Amino acid sequence: MKHWWWKFLAVALVLAASITALRTPLAPAIVHVEPATLQPGTRHAIEVLGYRTQFVPNEVIAYIENGGQFVPAGRVDVIDDTHARIHMYVPEGLREDMSDLLVTAPGAGTMRLFDAFYNPVKGSGATHDIAAEMTVHHRKGFAFPNRNLLYETIRNLNFHVPMWFTMMMLQTVSLVFSILVLRSGAELHDRGAVAAVHASLLFAMMGLVTGSIWARATWGGWWTTDAKLNGAAVTVLIYLAYLVLRGSVTDRAKRARLAAIYNVFAYVLMLLFIMALPRMTASLHPGSGGNPAFSQYDLDSSLRPVFYAAVLGWMGIGAWLLNLRYRLARLEILQEDARIR
Amino acid sequence: MHASAKLFLLTALVAAPNALLAQGNPDWLVDTLYGSGKINTVIAVVAVILLGLAFWLYRLDRRIARMENHHRP
Amino acid sequence: MGKEVLNLLKLEAALDLRQRAAWGGMLLYVVSAVYVCHLAMKDALAGTAWNALFWIILLFAAFNALARSFQREDQGRQLYLYTMVHPRSVVLARALYNALTMAVLSLLSLLFYALFLGDEPLSRADLLQFVLAVVLGGIGFAAVLTLISAIAARAGNGIGLMAILGFPVILPMLLAVMRASQLALQGAPWSDAGLLFLALAALDVVTITLAWLLFPYLWRD
């Protein structure tokens, strides 16, 4: 039982985080507007489609936000729970290309559709028909943030991201084993290092494939030129090269030492690369390259512990996979010694 | 395993989720999973992770089998 | 230690100058690569592509030049060398010598490249910055590839293994230096590019330090 607690803990954490990730509803949101282009200086009737909203007549207030200015809607006709028609006059002189739509209602909270409207005529700011301040409602309950483009896929946060954390943990374990090899030259440490590399590559592959699927659904391509993707690709290449190096040396002691040296060298350079990279290239990922981090629009900070639970849990699972391989390696060494004798 | 048994198992595996879904979805399922598109992305992601873990188990199985074979006379 | 490194550097230079064919080979490699590019592209190159192609040529030239680094001497002389001096002096001298070689080779490559593929992109560039990027890049390639070449040589596997091992670890250096030279081509002010150059120089130093730390383990047999 003594050696089992952390395995149970890991499984429990992963289970809890996965159930929460799949079971938590998405927050109500505006998903579609028609028309999507504004003609400044004219009246508009905008059809709005909500997702999981419950529009109640006379309670819905809408605004268009452009460059920090809020334009209130005149009247909102509620058609049903998820459909509404906004009647409003759009003043001339809006500053930015894109406007956000804000719909606020008690219960549902304030919902924002980012870049909802294109504004073909740019000005230097509207001078009338703007609101001094906005009515804000806060949503009650526990939900995933609902962003356009992402929608349901935001649940992947608890599956895709922990893969990378686990990969990095396993690579660090492999680095420690490699340093031990340099100090002791022990066969077991070398086997530990290679087992950790194998496990880290498994998680890297899962991270790459899940990321690719997610990217296809949100960014429209299986692979994009992105700082984080470049970092991941370099990481995978380094550890594949590590395995090739091992494959090309037959003498065991020499193989252990050469592989350990390469591991230490490559790990440090990779670490520098990953730290410096986001500053050099653009990224579509949240929290880098000027994109808002998830946490910035993640109104439910209660979901954050769930994400950390997923990361910790998956690290535990990764450690368990490594643990099994390491123990097997120990048995293999014993068996080989016994056969030699 | 007998070939027909395999076929039965395969059919059952494929048919079971469909049969469950055909019975009408509870509200929470509609709300959380099928409400808007892109839920298949989440399903694919979870499937990839499960397949990855299965692959690791398979490799481990192979290594253990190799050890067992050494012990046989 | 310092004197030992200096003596070894002199030895490296003396041995290298005796092998003039090797230098000729390196230069011919660069010239051929540049000329092939010239034939393939004529003068359809501008800005980013010009920069990228230059670094790709230089990358392969570095692999070609530094593959010999630990393979040119026979086992007997190597053993003799390592009984006389500390392995860390050897790797430091070798890395410094390779850095010098690469700095010269990079500048010569730039000359040929500008000659055959046009120097039009350089006309708007901050030339000092560009040359600095080329030199720092060459030194960085040498710093990374010295240890990689030693590992590949010890593994008893030639240039093939070196390319596999070297490519992923040299990528950080390559991306940083391409970025720096791109900024230089755009004529970015020093306030923008300065930090990048500092980072490049730091990366060079860290890499050489790592080689210095790890090399004794490589030698222990």
Side-chain angles (χ1 to χ4, degrees), chain A residues 5 16 38 45 59-60 79 103 152 157 239 260 283 305 331:
Chain A
W5 66 270
L38 299 178
E59 280 191 351
V60 182
I79 299 162
V103 175
E152 297 282 354
L157 187 69
Y239 286 100
S283 176
L331 287 179

Side-chain angles (χ1 to χ4, degrees), chain C residues 23 26-27 30 58 61 65 101-110:
Chain C
W23 262 95
M26 283 192 303
L27 282 181
V30 172
L58 201 57
T101 313
M102 274 311 296
V104 173
L105 189 66
S106 325
L107 288 176
L108 287 176
S109 306
L110 180 62

Side-chain angles (χ1 to χ4, degrees), chain C:
Chain C
M1 179 93 196
K3 198 154 177 272
E4 206 170 77
V5 173
L6 204 67
N7 283 334
L8 279 166
L9 256 176
K10 278 183 202 156
L11 181 70
E12 290 282 328
L15 281 174
D16 206 40
L17 287 179
R18 210 184 294 159
Q19 293 186 306
R20 257 172 241 148
W23 262 95
M26 283 192 303
L27 282 181
L28 198 61
Y29 185 90
V30 172
V31 174
S32 318
V34 168
Y35 194 67
V36 166
C37 290
H38 167 69
L39 288 181
M41 317 257 171
K42 292 285 185 295
D43 38 24
L45 278 178
T48 318
W50 189 89
N51 187 36
L53 194 62
F54 173 68
W55 284 107
I56 290 167
I57 290 175
L58 201 57
L59 179 71
F60 283 94
F63 271 103
N64 189 43
L66 299 181
R68 310 173 308 123
S69 181
F70 280 88
Q71 284 167 346
R72 64 180 157 204
E73 58 220 354
D74 56 283
Q75 287 282 322
R77 200 184 74 83
Q78 222 168 20
L79 200 61
Y80 176 69
L81 194 62
Y82 288 107
T83 51
M84 301 296 288
V85 290
H86 195 275
R88 285 196 167 137
S89 310
V90 175
V91 77
L92 206 57
R94 190 69 51 95
L96 290 178
Y97 187 75
N98 284 343
L100 207 68
T101 313
M102 274 311 296
V104 173
L105 189 66
S106 325
L107 288 176
L108 287 176
S109 306
L110 180 62
L111 197 72
F112 288 124
Y113 192 73
L115 208 66
F116 280 108
L117 282 132
D119 55 358
E120 198 272 328
L122 284 174
S123 58
R124 273 164 281 111
D126 185 328
L127 213 58
L128 184 64
Q129 267 185 32
F130 192 80
V131 169
L132 188 63
V134 169
V135 170
L136 279 179
I139 292 174
F141 287 175
V144 174
L145 291 181
T146 301
L147 189 70
I148 295 296
S149 146
I151 293 176
R154 294 294 285 161
N157 201 321
I159 191 155
L161 188 61
M162 183 166 154
I164 292 168
L165 295 181
F167 185 65
V169 285
I170 213 167
L171 257 181
M173 189 71 78
L174 183 69
L175 280 185
V177 85
M178 274 171 121
R179 174 94 178 132
S181 64
Q182 187 64 38
L183 278 181
L185 282 183
Q186 288 161 0
W190 278 97
S191 52
D192 282 6
L195 202 65
L196 198 55
F197 283 114
L198 220 60
L200 262 179
L203 198 55
D204 287 0
V205 172
V206 168
T207 313
I208 291 182
T209 312
L210 271 177
W212 182 79
L213 276 175
L214 291 171
F215 190 73
Y217 298 105
L218 193 64
W219 188 247
R220 211 165 51 185
D221 241 356

Side-chain angles (χ1 to χ4, degrees), chain A residues 14 32 34 37 49 67 73 84 101 116 142-143 163 232 271-272 275 295 308 316:
Chain A
V14 166
H32 189 67
E34 181 71 38
T37 305
L49 175 64
L101 174 71
F142 186 59
M163 298 296 122
L271 205 65
L272 290 176
M275 286 192 306
S295 54
Y308 293 142

Side-chain angles (χ1 to χ4, degrees), chain A residues 22-23 25 51 149 151-153 155-156 159 163 198-199 202 206 209-210 217 314 321 325 328 331-332 335, chain B residues 28 31-33 35-39 41-42 44-46 48-49 52-53 55-56 60 63-64 67 70-71:
Chain A
L22 294 174
R23 188 72 173 74
Y51 170 63
L149 285 183
Y151 302 121
E152 297 282 354
T153 66
R155 300 172 194 283
N156 284 346
F159 298 107
M163 298 296 122
H198 276 148
L202 174 77
M206 295 199 289
V209 176
T210 57
W314 278 109
L321 298 190
R325 269 290 298 275
L328 191 61
L331 287 179
E332 278 170 356
Q335 197 184 41
Chain B
W28 71 264
D31 279 354
T32 55
L33 293 181
S36 76
K38 303 202 174 184
I39 189 60
T41 308
V42 183
V45 161
V46 174
V48 163
I49 290 173
L53 292 179
F55 175 71
W56 186 266
L60 202 65
R63 284 183 90 101
I64 293 174
M67 271 185 86
H70 278 309
H71 269 300

